[in-house]
Amino acid sequence: MSALVDPRIEALDKLKSEWSEFRKNPDLLLYSGYFKIVSPLTVDQEGVIHENQVEEGSFMPPMIVPYRPNIGQKYLGLTRKKCQEYGIPVNIEVLKGRRVGATLDTQTRHLSKILTNSGVMQATVAQRDPTAKRLRDTVYNIHKNSYPINVAVPLDIENASELTFRAFDQPFEMGSSGFFFTTASAAGIEKVRGMGAIFIHMSEVD
C-alpha cells in the first residue's frame, strides 16, 4: 500500500525543482500559473458565473485563479523585452491601462523579478493615496494567495508603504527586495530618489 503524499509538500518540492530556471528567467515564473489573483467573477452553487458582488444581501466569495496574461499583457511584456534586447530605453505609456490589465501585469511582472533576486526594488508612484493603497493591496493579495511561493519566499516587512521579501532556505535564498508605495508629492518623489529604485511604476500620474 503506497503512502499518501501531501499535495502541499508535493507542490513545494515541484517549485524547488523549477526555481533555478525562474531565477535565470523570471518571465517563466510570471507565466507558470503559480501566481494567483482574485477574479472579478464568482460561481454560485449551480455553477452559474456572476460578477463578484452582493446579491440579495448575500456575498459570494470571489474565485482565486491562476494569473494567465491576456494578449494585451503579453504584447506589453514582449515590447519591453525587445527594447531591452536592442538596448532601446523603455518608457511605455498606456492610456486606460487598467482596462487591458497593464497595471496588474506591471505589478505581477515586477513581483516575479523581486522574488527571484536580491536587491531588486520597485517604486510604485500613484497620483493619490487610495490608488497607492489599491496597488499595494494587489501585490499583497497575489503573494498571499500564491502557495507555495508565499511559503518559499515570505514577507519580511509589511506596512502601508512597503512590502519586502526575504528567504533563507535553499534554493530560494534572497533578501533586500520589494516594493515601495507612495504618491507623486514632493515628499513622495524625494523618498523614491533616496531608495535608488530599479523599477518605477507610475500609475494615474498627471
Side-chain angles (χ1 to χ4, degrees), residues 20-184:
S20 62
E21 294 302 316
F22 293 154
R23 281 194 189 278
K24 295 175 186 175
N25 183 3
D27 279 353
L28 294 177
L29 176 58
L30 177 70
Y31 297 121
S32 67
Y34 277 110
F35 286 138
K36 305 296 191 301
I37 62 172
V38 179
S39 171
L41 304 176
T42 190
V43 180
D44 64 20
Q45 294 180 344
E46 285 72 37
V48 179
I49 297 176
H50 303 267
E51 289 189 9
N52 181 28
Q53 58 187 348
V54 176
E55 293 185 359
E56 298 179 358
S58 62
F59 178 77
M60 294 182 293
M63 294 188 293
I64 307 299
V65 299
Y67 175 63
R68 301 292 187 188
N70 60 38
I71 188 66
Q73 292 165 332
K74 288 181 178 179
Y75 274 117
L76 188 60
L78 182 62
T79 300
R80 290 192 191 100
K81 184 176 181 180
K82 289 300 181 182
C83 287
Q84 291 167 349
E85 286 179 359
Y86 290 101
I88 302 172
V90 182
N91 181 20
I92 301 175
E93 297 182 15
V94 182
L95 302 180
K96 298 297 182 182
R98 278 187 294 172
R99 292 188 179 181
V100 296
T103 298
L104 176 62
D105 178 78
T106 299
Q107 294 300 87
T108 310
R109 189 175 298 276
H110 288 170
L111 180 61
S112 68
K113 294 178 171 66
I114 284 167
L115 295 179
T116 53
N117 293 278
S118 295
V120 177
M121 294 298 295
Q122 187 239 59
T124 300
V125 182
Q127 183 72 9
R128 299 176 179 85
D129 284 327
T131 302
K133 182 181 184 302
R134 185 171 64 248
L135 292 170
R136 181 260 184 208
D137 291 347
T138 295
V139 174
Y140 175 82
N141 286 323
I142 291 172
H143 182 261
K144 181 185 74 172
N145 292 315
S146 297
Y147 182 86
I149 288 176
N150 53 12
V151 172
V153 188
L155 275 166
D156 182 41
I157 297 174
E158 174 198 340
N159 56 49
S161 62
E162 190 175 3
L163 294 173
T164 64
F165 306 89
R166 182 178 297 273
F168 297 99
D169 297 333
Q170 295 183 354
F172 307 107
E173 309 99 317
M174 55 79 67
S176 302
S177 290
F179 293 81
F180 178 76
F181 304 88
T182 189
T183 57

